Amino acid sequence: NAGVTQTPKFRVLKTGQSMTLLCAQDMNHEYMYWYRQDPGMGLRLIHYSVGEGTTAKGEVPDGYNVSRLKKQNFLLGLESAAPSQTSVYFCASSYSLWQGSGETQYFGPGTRLLVL
Amino acid sequence: DAKTTQPPSMDCAEGRAANLPCNHSTISGNEYVYWYRQIHSQGPQYIIHGLKNNETNEMASLIITEDRKSSTLILPHATLRDTAVYYCIVRVERGGADGLTFGKGTHLIIQP
């Protein structure tokens, strides 16, 4: 199992450009999450999804959109990138019907985004 | 979820036990204590969690005081690869449907 994978690993954008970050998991998890981590800080939740076709806002959702058209994929979109969105983005997944609790999350390796 | 307090940094000699404290004095009866760690430039990794009783797995042990107001994560034989930021998170078990709240954690440095 690959676990949670993220694409791309690193990206540089100019202000106003758009991009989509892809997260994929092969653990048949129901829940998926997008976090951002700024230097010296803990992770902050951007958006999350409790199932295919559903999404919800987290702590810092402004400037981002998400979609979960397939259970194994969770996409994070930046429509018009701003320098304040320079960060490391982590995707995570949790909870399968056999696992029970969704509190144990499995994280991807991260995407480093620089917005100039 | 209850607030947690952790020291910003700690050192430990390689091969010794690393004991990482966490204060959660406002914890309520149905809140669990979770520990994650983040090795530099990687995604966080789940370590262990518990409610009242002490817990042990292949990675670590979790000791929770009787009044549940504090806990200690123990790495029994620390190696250089255990150098990481360790996060203590307290939360009600509600199925994970709203993400985790990470503070600044403890930066544990294992010294050779």
Side-chain angles (χ1 to χ4, degrees):
Chain A
N1 286 355
V4 179
T5 58
Q6 293 183 230
T7 308
K9 290 184 171 57
F10 178 69
R11 184 76 183 268
V12 179
L13 288 179
K14 294 181 180 178
T15 297
Q17 287 184 319
S18 64
M19 78 163 294
T20 300
L21 283 67
L22 171 63
C23 175
Q25 54 94 5
D26 61 1
M27 296 174 281
N28 201 33
H29 282 164
E30 304 297 323
Y31 303 159
M32 297 186 74
Y33 316 83
W34 276 108
Y35 294 86
R36 63 176 286 174
Q37 185 174 34
D38 299 316
M41 304 289 290
L43 280 71
R44 292 184 293 169
L45 184 67
I46 305 172
H47 285 280
Y48 63 97
S49 168
V50 298
E52 184 178 317
T54 70
T55 64
K57 294 180 180 180
E59 180 186 356
V60 289
D62 293 342
Y64 305 95
N65 56 75
V66 289
S67 64
R68 188 148 179 224
L69 300 179
K70 295 183 178 180
K71 184 177 182 179
Q72 63 268 34
N73 296 335
F74 196 28
L75 278 62
L76 177 70
L78 287 73
E79 291 187 348
S80 179
S84 61
Q85 293 178 304
T86 292
S87 190
V88 181
Y89 292 85
F90 289 101
C91 176
S93 70
S94 71
Y95 185 64
S96 60
L97 294 178
W98 62 264
Q99 178 186 354
S101 167
E103 314 302 332
T104 301
Q105 297 189 11
Y106 298 84
F107 286 80
T111 293
R112 284 150 185 76
L113 177 64
L114 174 62
V115 183
L116 302 175
Chain B
D1 297 328
K3 183 178 178 180
T4 62
T5 303
Q6 299 178 251
S9 65
M10 293 181 62
D11 288 347
C12 179
E14 188 177 18
R16 305 295 295 269
N19 297 279
L20 290 87
C22 180
N23 286 327
H24 31 79
S25 59
T26 61
I27 193 171
S28 59
N30 60 347
E31 288 185 306
Y32 286 72
V33 180
Y34 283 81
W35 284 85
Y36 282 75
R37 74 179 182 183
Q38 186 174 23
I39 296 170
H40 181 62
S41 299
Q42 298 181 19
Q45 177 189 24
Y46 165 80
I47 302 173
I48 197 168
H49 75 281
L51 181 63
K52 295 180 182 179
N53 300 322
N54 298 337
E55 303 286 344
T56 296
N57 62 21
E58 64 278 3
M59 290 183 68
S61 295
L62 174 61
I63 308 299
I64 302 174
T65 58
E66 192 170 344
D67 63 7
R68 302 186 70 239
K69 293 185 176 182
S70 66
S71 60
T72 301
L73 177 74
I74 301 173
L75 307 178
H77 304 287
T79 70
L80 297 178
R81 287 176 292 184
D82 292 321
T83 292
V85 178
Y86 288 77
Y87 297 98
C88 171
I89 298 170
V90 171
R91 61 179 273 135
V92 173
E93 191 159 288
R94 44 182 180 265
D98 60 349
L100 298 171
T101 300
F102 289 81
K104 293 188 177 182
T106 296
H107 187 194
L108 175 66
I109 300 172
I110 306 301
Q111 304 282 2

